[in-house]
Amino acid sequence: MTNIYSERISRVRELMLSNGWDAVVVSGSDPHGSEYPSARWLQVKWLTGFTAEAGDVVITHDHAGLWTDSRYFIQAQEQLAGTGVELHKTRIPGAVGIPEWLSDYAKVVAVDGLCQSVDFVSEVRAASPDGQEIHIVDVPDMFDGLWEDRPSVPVTPVTTLDVFCFGGRPRGEKLEWIRKWMLLQEVDGILLSSLDEIAWLLNVRGSDIEYNPLAISYLLVTQDRAIWFVKKDDAPLDPDTDDSFSELESDGVEIEYYQGVCDALCQWAEADDSARLFVDPSSLNYHIYDRLSSTFSVERLIKGISPVVLKKAVKDVTEIENLRQTYIDDGIAMECFLYWLETEVSSGREVTEWEASEKLTSLRAAIPGYRGDSFENISAYGPNAALPHYSTPAVGSAVIEPKGLYLVDSGGQYLTGTTDITRTVPMGECSYIEKMDYTLVLRGMIDLSMAVFPRGTTGHQLDALARMPLWRNGRNFGHGTGHGVGYYLCVHEGPQSIRWQANPQPLLPGMVTSNEPALYREGSHGVRHENIVLCRDAGTTEFGEWLDFETLTCCHIDTSIILPEFLGPEAAAWLDEYNAYVFRTLSPYLPAEVAEWLETKTQKRLVN
Amino acid sequence: MTNIYSERISRVRELMLSNGWDAVVVSGSDPHGSEYPSARWLQVKWLTGFTAEAGDVVITHDHAGLWTDSRYFIQAQEQLAGTGVELHKTRIPGAVGIPEWLSDYAKVVAVDGLCQSVDFVSEVRAASPDGQEIHIVDVPDMFDGLWEDRPSVPVTPVTTLDVFCFGGRPRGEKLEWIRKWMLLQEVDGILLSSLDEIAWLLNVRGSDIEYNPLAISYLLVTQDRAIWFVKKDDAPLDPDTDDSFSELESDGVEIEYYQGVCDALCQWAEADDSARLFVDPSSLNYHIYDRLSSTFSVERLIKGISPVVLKKAVKDVTEIENLRQTYIDDGIAMECFLYWLETEVSSGREVTEWEASEKLTSLRAAIPGYRGDSFENISAYGPNAALPHYSTPAVGSAVIEPKGLYLVDSGGQYLTGTTDITRTVPMGECSYIEKMDYTLVLRGMIDLSMAVFPRGTTGHQLDALARMPLWRNGRNFGHGTGHGVGYYLCVHEGPQSIRWQANPQPLLPGMVTSNEPALYREGSHGVRHENIVLCRDAGTTEFGEWLDFETLTCCHIDTSIILPEFLGPEAAAWLDEYNAYVFRTLSPYLPAEVAEWLETKTQKRLVN
């Protein structure tokens, strides 16, 4: 049986044969290491039909495999059926990653160097056994000849941010900061290739990537120049972009063509043959690095973690103030949505997951400063919620029935911040196992929310708090407990995380992180409770300096199916206080009927 | 003001001057990286008067410093008074270690290479800034000319273990195992220098080091030979040692002179010029490594973690069975001690810390298989308990009064295992802060005891469970939560630990680890609750494979001053069950009056 995807894979194998390649690695990312690439770089989807944002493919002459993590196991099995592509599970015990796998099956490996990070290529090389070096062939835009109507690099309007209203520091201050950092590091230039780092540093936003307010570009900063490689063609600029570019130029930022980045860097390297350039191999693509390596000598190409990653993660006072208000506004939309959902479903009307998703987006869209959703709404009923990253189909989505659990994970992009929230909603009668799962996950979320910890503690050290109620009952979930959240930027950002996997980055005051333990039962139901928490200073005692979390998310958590014996008195007291806070904060701004409904939802006290 | 120690330091400085050294580093360890060195290697004590087991000294021409961790801050301040030696605190935020410190103050550094690990010297070199290489001068037994009556290398009887009675695998199997490991690693020999690794592999014990049943020696294993460098002089062997050596020789182990290790290794290297030797730079001393480096080429000297470390930490079925019984026997001694203590003190008799310590040792000594204490008893009343490693003086120790808290941390060496237990005992009326500290520390100990976790989890990930009750109240302790415990070997062993500091070693079924959160208030009181836990298999669910802890320690925990609001219902239920288990298990073996007393101590239920 052949289908469109197995045909495409066959054509890739013909390409491999005629070029003498043993394997082709296809990345799910773009030239900037983006989590969500724009249409041009959906190469994994084009080749295999797998649509999730995390997946990489390896094709050899007798094998085709997709590597992805537990969030997408079920989806991968469904979407890969009939393609001949096998699922390789990552982030599970004994998992074999692509570099190790390749070392057994291939010597000549072709990659689209634009879409592979320097780090990935290094890992492939390091995994190759002693003396049997692997040969990497860089083939930029490898599928251009096979992929008809491949989308071009997107061009969307570029806007600048008014930091005095919308938070953050002026770009002049940010450029001054990074130049001081360069002096300390003894480098003469830094190349930024991560799109959110560039957007943060220049206080610019675009919409080249769905859900992410970014402009596809590179940025070179030296002591006396800042060159933004962002222009895509010679067409006249739209008025917004024209204004933005003028503003940037008046701040000393030069605007150049996207495709010109390599040549410009090489010219710079040749003009000053002692200049040292800093690059971040975790985000820089191999194609550019490979070209730079042939111009800069090894000592002049300094590899390290971009300083923007950490600086961007620590929000400043204005950003934090704005975020508090933004999460209240977002909570109003959420409560209106939850009221609408309960009312509609209990009235007996057929509401589908898709309709619910559209309703939620329309409520967010009415909030001033809304600039779009921060990711594709996950609106999932019953067994669909067992897919952690379920993609709700526009046509034929499930009807939300007045029983069991409905899960909604969503967020907005606002000029004043990015939101992300998950609520699991009991729609009526629930089974004991649903109630128990709901309660255990909730206790984990609350136990983590209540944490106090000394400066220097990492999310890795706190992760077990969120999991222990599940672990003690033989349950677990396969994804991280928490990811950093950008400020009107990517909904997923580093460097901090709350994960079972080691991450040495301490949590710092000003960092915004999700807290989202979960449980998934394939074919039955899924539970996830997600609040966003701000790490903050919690004072000093004779025993040290303390940090804790302020919960930014402001939306009630349903108490109707909680099993108190699994929640425990401390988490119950926390939840009582939280729900009272949500009602107190939101009710003045809610339509009367929603406020009344929220009162009934939040008035039950778990602790007397 | 000069004292004996400042005079000795002056004489060291004269030595430095005549040799052109900028600094001398004096290690608190011995040529085998032992935690407790024998008298010959108490160089730090000889030089500064500081008696604790963890401390290293640096002398320059204008500075003398002792580096130690928070367990010894108070002790160091007291013992260093008048010596001119300054305390440098380690394991605190912003701490500057010896390697970094040296890089600012010295270029020519003399070390007794016998007492410094290869890793330490590498760290000193790595800390030196670019291009300004530090020069290390290896001066074995550097103080021999200054230290009159320096003790010689100890010689004590060597015994062999009957593994069929006392646990573990026969030495033949262990040698076979390590030779297979060597084949896989493609090495021709392994040099063991860690004394507990040698004792474990050969199933031998000595008493060269107080509290540690070890024989000072090196062991070389190749595919066809096993050479134990253990003989110290030509005097006739005592009968036990003679028998032991005969048994070993009949198993193919050659007995050689301790001092001959370097020559033998170099001869071996020269006889087979392709032979590859495996060494562990974390325990091997720099002096031997430096000599080997000049004979073996770099490619032939393979550095890594000794495989014995992990193998030894995972106890086998017989060892575990024996440990369970040993902890019951040890618990009987502990309960008899606690009964005696309460009876004596409440009768109004003056009992000192020292008398209590002697009483406890005498009770342990009566247990069959007892071979000594596993470390120096910590018998500490009131403010003395605020010193985590208080050393009870034989003369002039404090009187234990019928109020406040008494802390006793102790353990035994038995043929059937090593024990370690801490109990904090309310002697009568206690302050609110004592009660709250007692309760919070106890809750942490219990929360960790109740943990269930997936295979692959490290102690680092679980550490926060034991600390969170304290952290949430702005309290903390400066040492680790848990260390590995040997089997009739060292009371502290790796590779696992439960610590705030990262340690990538997962907990494995069969590992025995302490669980000992604590709290110290200088000048007031100290609390520590310590049980020993066995990591074990806890079954498999659809969500993975689970591990948990079995508590081996069998000795009741006093409930009289617990503040229930800080313990919480789950920890209270655990404690009720634990105390009931202790009474049920021990009472048949206790003298009638102790059994009756224990019943009153354990009958109060915290949860009805």
Side-chain angles (χ1 to χ4, degrees):
Chain A
M1 192 186 87
T2 58
N3 66 11
I4 182 174
Y5 302 111
S6 53
E7 276 169 31
R8 286 173 183 168
I9 291 167
S10 298
R11 291 171 65 197
V12 170
R13 288 197 172 119
E14 287 163 20
L15 193 68
M16 290 164 59
L17 210 58
S18 61
N19 285 283
W21 305 334
D22 299 330
V24 160
V25 183
V26 186
S27 155
S29 189
D30 69 4
H32 306 276
S34 302
E35 182 179 4
Y36 305 90
S38 74
R40 177 174 178 76
W41 288 290
L42 294 176
Q43 302 189 81
V44 166
K45 181 181 168 192
W46 173 80
L47 186 62
T48 69
F50 179 68
T51 56
E53 61 267 29
D56 299 289
V57 168
V58 176
I59 310 287
T60 64
H61 288 292
D62 50 14
H63 185 82
L66 171 91
W67 273 253
T68 192
D69 66 71
S70 68
R71 293 173 299 175
Y72 307 103
F73 290 165
I74 301 172
Q75 179 179 342
Q77 273 149 0
E78 288 172 2
Q79 294 183 330
L80 298 179
T83 63
V85 180
E86 284 179 34
L87 170 61
H88 293 247
K89 297 179 175 183
T90 64
R91 297 195 200 158
I92 60 165
V96 177
I98 290 178
E100 295 72 38
W101 192 90
L102 279 175
S103 72
D104 284 339
Y105 295 100
K107 292 188 178 175
V108 181
V109 177
V111 300
D112 177 348
L114 284 169
C115 297
Q116 298 290 0
S117 72
V118 177
D119 275 351
F120 174 81
V121 174
S122 301
E123 284 165 26
V124 170
R125 291 209 167 109
S128 166
D130 287 350
Q132 183 195 307
E133 192 160 352
I134 209 152
H135 184 57
I136 305 284
V137 186
D138 174 22
V139 191
D141 295 320
M142 190 191 295
F143 298 151
D144 267 4
L146 308 178
W147 186 349
E148 289 159 28
D149 309 322
R150 182 179 180 188
S152 52
V153 179
V155 183
T156 61
V158 170
T159 56
T160 56
L161 286 188
D162 175 354
V163 293
F164 298 102
C165 294
F166 300 120
R169 309 302 310 161
R171 73 176 62 87
E173 281 186 29
K174 289 178 175 175
L175 285 166
E176 200 177 313
W177 159 77
I178 203 166
R179 283 172 173 144
K180 275 191 192 153
W181 177 88
M182 285 158 54
L183 284 178
L184 287 172
Q185 299 292 315
E186 298 177 352
V187 295
D188 304 290
I190 180 169
L191 174 65
L192 297 183
S193 57
S194 222
L195 303 182
D196 60 342
E197 294 179 36
I198 297 169
W200 179 87
L201 194 74
L202 295 182
N203 292 330
V204 291
R205 298 295 186 268
S207 46
D208 287 351
I209 294 183
E210 216 179 355
Y211 307 118
N212 291 284
L214 306 170
I216 291 174
S217 58
Y218 300 93
L219 177 66
L220 172 69
V221 182
T222 68
Q223 285 302 337
D224 48 13
R225 297 177 72 183
I227 313 176
W228 193 22
F229 301 93
V230 63
K231 275 203 291 189
K232 305 299 176 337
D233 54 35
D234 288 317
L237 300 175
D238 77 84
D240 276 353
T241 305
D242 204 19
D243 288 353
S244 299
F245 286 176
S246 299
E247 182 189 322
L248 285 156
E249 282 166 342
S250 72
D251 279 347
V253 178
E254 300 164 54
I255 306 295
E256 288 295 342
Y257 282 97
Y258 179 64
Q259 302 295 350
V261 63
C262 275
D263 290 340
L265 287 162
C266 293
Q267 277 163 25
W268 180 67
E270 282 158 8
D272 175 359
D273 64 7
S274 68
R276 290 153 58 95
L277 178 67
F278 187 95
V279 297
D280 186 334
S282 69
S283 58
L284 183 64
N285 67 63
Y286 176 71
H287 176 71
I288 289 196
Y289 180 79
D290 198 37
R291 279 205 55 194
L292 295 182
S293 304
S294 61
T295 308
F296 287 83
S297 55
V298 176
E299 317 83 63
R300 293 174 59 203
L301 213 47
I302 313 302
K303 289 193 271 187
I305 298 168
S306 161
V308 178
V309 178
L310 181 57
K311 192 83 176 171
K312 172 166 65 65
V314 176
K315 275 62 180 172
D316 80 356
V317 177
T318 332
E319 287 172 330
I320 290 170
E321 270 312 308
N322 285 344
L323 279 172
R324 289 197 181 103
Q325 185 58 48
T326 302
Y327 273 86
I328 291 172
D329 294 341
D330 198 71
I332 293 169
M334 279 296 297
E335 294 292 4
C336 290
F337 168 72
L338 294 170
Y339 167 76
W340 170 86
L341 181 72
E342 182 177 312
T343 312
E344 294 292 308
V345 172
S346 63
S347 78
R349 195 170 76 72
E350 279 207 348
V351 178
T352 64
E353 296 166 335
W354 180 258
E355 185 189 350
S357 171
E358 294 284 288
K359 175 72 182 180
L360 177 54
T361 293
S362 72
L363 286 162
R364 278 212 171 86
I367 298 173
Y370 173 82
R371 286 293 176 274
D373 288 344
S374 60
F375 55 100
E376 185 184 308
N377 290 341
I378 297 171
S379 172
Y381 177 67
N384 291 338
L387 285 74
H389 278 212
Y390 174 64
S391 181
T392 313
V395 176
S397 71
V399 170
I400 302 169
E401 295 180 53
K403 64 175 185 186
L405 298 173
Y406 166 73
L407 184 153
V408 56
D409 186 353
S410 65
Q413 293 287 9
Y414 307 92
L415 285 173
T416 49
T418 300
T419 67
D420 184 3
I421 174 175
T422 308
R423 287 295 179 265
T424 302
V425 189
M427 299 306 304
E429 203 170 318
C430 289
S431 68
Y432 183 79
I433 197 91
E434 285 171 326
K435 291 178 184 176
M436 187 166 163
D437 289 344
Y438 183 97
T439 307
L440 292 172
V441 173
L442 184 55
R443 174 159 180 185
M445 197 274 272
I446 295 173
D447 281 355
L448 179 56
S449 301
M450 294 192 295
V452 180
F453 45 94
R455 258 182 199 271
T457 303
T458 65
H460 178 57
Q461 291 172 267
L462 301 181
D463 175 72
L465 298 171
R467 294 179 191 267
M468 194 50 70
L470 290 166
W471 286 357
R472 288 183 59 193
N473 290 279
R475 294 160 212 218
N476 204 359
F477 58 99
H479 56 70
T481 299
H483 56 80
V485 180
Y487 181 88
Y488 182 28
L489 276 175
C490 298
V491 74
H492 295 165
E493 71 170 19
Q496 84 279 19
S497 62
I498 302 174
R499 295 191 81 89
W500 193 83
Q501 290 83 0
N503 173 349
Q505 175 62 53
L507 297 170
L508 298 175
M511 282 181 169
V512 175
T513 312
S514 72
N515 170 2
E516 48 180 318
L519 195 82
Y520 309 102
R521 292 188 187 271
E522 191 174 342
S524 174
H525 63 275
V527 174
R528 188 161 67 251
H529 298 291
E530 178 189 24
N531 278 347
I532 303 303
V533 294
L534 169 71
C535 180
R536 65 180 177 187
D537 206 308
T540 300
T541 69
E542 62 183 295
F543 297 98
E545 290 176 66
W546 302 96
L547 304 177
D548 70 358
F549 294 125
E550 171 186 336
T551 296
L552 294 174
T553 305
C554 189
C555 176
H556 86 282
I557 292 169
D558 194 293
T559 59
S560 64
I561 62 164
I562 286 172
L563 300 176
E565 64 273 29
F566 292 109
L567 192 63
E570 287 171 358
W574 185 95
L575 187 54
D576 280 347
E577 203 176 297
Y578 180 71
N579 276 344
Y581 154 79
V582 170
F583 176 72
R584 196 169 65 237
T585 307
L586 298 186
S587 56
Y589 310 106
L590 292 171
E593 68 278 14
V594 182
E596 270 171 46
W597 168 85
L598 184 59
E599 186 165 22
T600 65
K601 284 285 169 187
T602 55
Q603 72 186 358
K604 183 183 153 199
R605 290 282 168 273
L606 296 160
V607 180
N608 295 309
Chain B
M1 190 186 89
T2 57
N3 67 11
I4 181 175
Y5 302 112
S6 54
E7 276 168 30
R8 285 173 184 171
I9 292 167
S10 298
R11 291 173 64 199
V12 169
R13 287 197 173 119
E14 287 163 20
L15 193 68
M16 290 164 60
L17 209 57
S18 61
N19 286 283
W21 304 334
D22 299 330
V24 161
V25 182
V26 185
S27 155
S29 190
D30 69 5
H32 306 276
S34 302
E35 182 178 3
Y36 305 92
S38 73
R40 177 175 179 78
W41 287 291
L42 295 176
Q43 303 190 80
V44 166
K45 182 182 167 191
W46 173 80
L47 187 61
T48 68
F50 179 67
T51 56
E53 63 266 29
D56 299 289
V57 167
V58 177
I59 310 288
T60 65
H61 288 292
D62 50 14
H63 184 81
L66 171 92
W67 273 253
T68 192
D69 66 72
S70 69
R71 293 173 299 174
Y72 307 103
F73 290 164
I74 301 173
Q75 179 179 342
Q77 274 149 0
E78 288 173 1
Q79 295 183 328
L80 297 180
T83 63
V85 180
E86 283 180 35
L87 170 61
H88 293 248
K89 297 180 175 184
T90 65
R91 296 196 201 159
I92 60 164
V96 176
I98 290 178
E100 295 71 38
W101 192 90
L102 279 175
S103 72
D104 284 339
Y105 294 100
K107 290 187 178 175
V108 181
V109 177
V111 300
D112 177 348
L114 284 168
C115 296
Q116 297 290 359
S117 70
V118 178
D119 275 352
F120 174 80
V121 174
S122 302
E123 284 166 28
V124 170
R125 291 209 167 110
S128 164
D130 286 350
Q132 184 195 308
E133 192 159 352
I134 210 154
H135 183 58
I136 305 283
V137 186
D138 174 23
V139 191
D141 294 322
M142 189 191 296
F143 298 151
D144 269 3
L146 308 178
W147 185 350
E148 288 159 29
D149 308 322
R150 181 179 180 187
S152 53
V153 179
V155 183
T156 61
V158 170
T159 56
T160 56
L161 286 188
D162 176 356
V163 294
F164 298 103
C165 294
F166 301 120
R169 310 301 310 160
R171 72 176 62 86
E173 281 186 29
K174 290 178 176 176
L175 285 166
E176 201 176 313
W177 160 77
I178 204 166
R179 283 171 173 144
K180 276 191 191 154
W181 177 88
M182 285 157 56
L183 285 177
L184 287 173
Q185 299 293 314
E186 298 177 353
V187 294
D188 304 291
I190 180 169
L191 173 66
L192 296 183
S193 57
S194 222
L195 303 182
D196 61 342
E197 294 180 36
I198 296 170
W200 178 87
L201 194 75
L202 295 182
N203 292 330
V204 291
R205 299 294 187 270
S207 44
D208 286 351
I209 294 184
E210 215 179 358
Y211 307 117
N212 291 283
L214 305 170
I216 290 173
S217 58
Y218 299 94
L219 177 66
L220 171 68
V221 182
T222 67
Q223 285 303 335
D224 47 14
R225 296 176 74 183
I227 313 175
W228 193 22
F229 301 93
V230 64
K231 275 203 291 188
K232 306 297 175 338
D233 54 37
D234 288 317
L237 299 175
D238 77 86
D240 274 353
T241 306
D242 204 20
D243 287 353
S244 299
F245 286 177
S246 299
E247 182 190 322
L248 285 155
E249 282 167 341
S250 72
D251 278 347
V253 179
E254 300 164 55
I255 307 295
E256 288 295 341
Y257 283 97
Y258 179 64
Q259 302 296 351
V261 61
C262 274
D263 290 341
L265 286 162
C266 293
Q267 277 163 24
W268 180 67
E270 282 159 7
D272 175 358
D273 64 7
S274 68
R276 289 154 57 96
L277 178 68
F278 187 95
V279 297
D280 186 334
S282 69
S283 57
L284 183 63
N285 67 63
Y286 176 70
H287 175 72
I288 290 196
Y289 180 79
D290 198 36
R291 278 205 55 192
L292 295 182
S293 302
S294 61
T295 308
F296 288 82
S297 55
V298 176
E299 318 82 63
R300 293 173 59 201
L301 213 48
I302 313 301
K303 289 193 272 187
I305 298 168
S306 160
V308 177
V309 178
L310 181 57
K311 193 82 176 172
K312 173 167 63 66
V314 176
K315 275 62 180 173
D316 80 356
V317 177
T318 330
E319 287 173 329
I320 290 170
E321 271 312 308
N322 285 344
L323 280 173
R324 288 197 181 103
Q325 185 57 49
T326 302
Y327 274 86
I328 290 171
D329 294 341
D330 199 71
I332 293 168
M334 278 296 298
E335 294 292 4
C336 290
F337 168 73
L338 294 171
Y339 167 76
W340 171 87
L341 180 72
E342 182 176 311
T343 310
E344 295 293 308
V345 172
S346 63
S347 77
R349 195 169 76 70
E350 278 207 350
V351 177
T352 64
E353 296 166 335
W354 180 258
E355 184 190 350
S357 171
E358 294 284 287
K359 175 71 181 179
L360 177 53
T361 293
S362 72
L363 286 162
R364 278 212 172 86
I367 299 173
Y370 173 82
R371 287 292 177 276
D373 288 345
S374 60
F375 55 100
E376 184 185 307
N377 288 343
I378 297 171
S379 172
Y381 177 67
N384 292 338
L387 284 76
H389 277 212
Y390 174 64
S391 181
T392 313
V395 176
S397 72
V399 170
I400 303 169
E401 295 180 53
K403 64 176 185 186
L405 298 173
Y406 167 72
L407 184 153
V408 56
D409 187 352
S410 64
Q413 292 288 9
Y414 307 93
L415 285 173
T416 49
T418 301
T419 66
D420 184 4
I421 175 175
T422 308
R423 288 293 179 266
T424 301
V425 189
M427 299 306 304
E429 203 170 319
C430 289
S431 68
Y432 184 79
I433 198 93
E434 285 171 327
K435 292 178 183 174
M436 188 166 163
D437 289 343
Y438 183 97
T439 307
L440 292 172
V441 172
L442 184 55
R443 175 159 179 185
M445 197 274 272
I446 296 173
D447 281 356
L448 180 57
S449 301
M450 294 191 296
V452 180
F453 45 93
R455 256 181 200 273
T457 303
T458 65
H460 179 57
Q461 290 173 268
L462 301 181
D463 175 72
L465 297 171
R467 294 180 190 265
M468 194 50 70
L470 291 167
W471 286 357
R472 288 183 59 194
N473 291 279
R475 295 162 211 216
N476 204 0
F477 57 99
H479 57 70
T481 299
H483 56 80
V485 180
Y487 181 88
Y488 183 27
L489 277 175
C490 298
V491 74
H492 294 164
E493 70 170 20
Q496 84 278 17
S497 62
I498 302 174
R499 296 191 79 90
W500 192 82
Q501 289 82 359
N503 172 349
Q505 175 61 53
L507 296 170
L508 299 176
M511 282 181 169
V512 174
T513 312
S514 72
N515 171 2
E516 48 178 318
L519 196 83
Y520 308 102
R521 293 188 187 270
E522 192 175 341
S524 173
H525 62 274
V527 174
R528 188 160 69 249
H529 298 291
E530 178 188 26
N531 278 347
I532 303 302
V533 294
L534 169 71
C535 179
R536 66 180 176 187
D537 206 307
T540 300
T541 68
E542 61 184 296
F543 296 99
E545 291 175 66
W546 301 96
L547 303 177
D548 70 359
F549 293 125
E550 172 187 335
T551 296
L552 294 174
T553 305
C554 190
C555 176
H556 86 283
I557 293 169
D558 194 294
T559 58
S560 64
I561 61 163
I562 286 172
L563 300 177
E565 64 273 29
F566 292 109
L567 191 63
E570 287 171 359
W574 185 95
L575 186 54
D576 279 347
E577 202 175 297
Y578 180 71
N579 275 344
Y581 154 78
V582 171
F583 176 72
R584 197 168 63 236
T585 306
L586 298 186
S587 56
Y589 309 106
L590 293 171
E593 68 277 16
V594 182
E596 270 171 46
W597 168 86
L598 185 59
E599 187 165 22
T600 66
K601 285 285 170 187
T602 56
Q603 73 185 359
K604 182 182 155 200
R605 289 284 167 273
L606 297 159
V607 180
N608 296 311

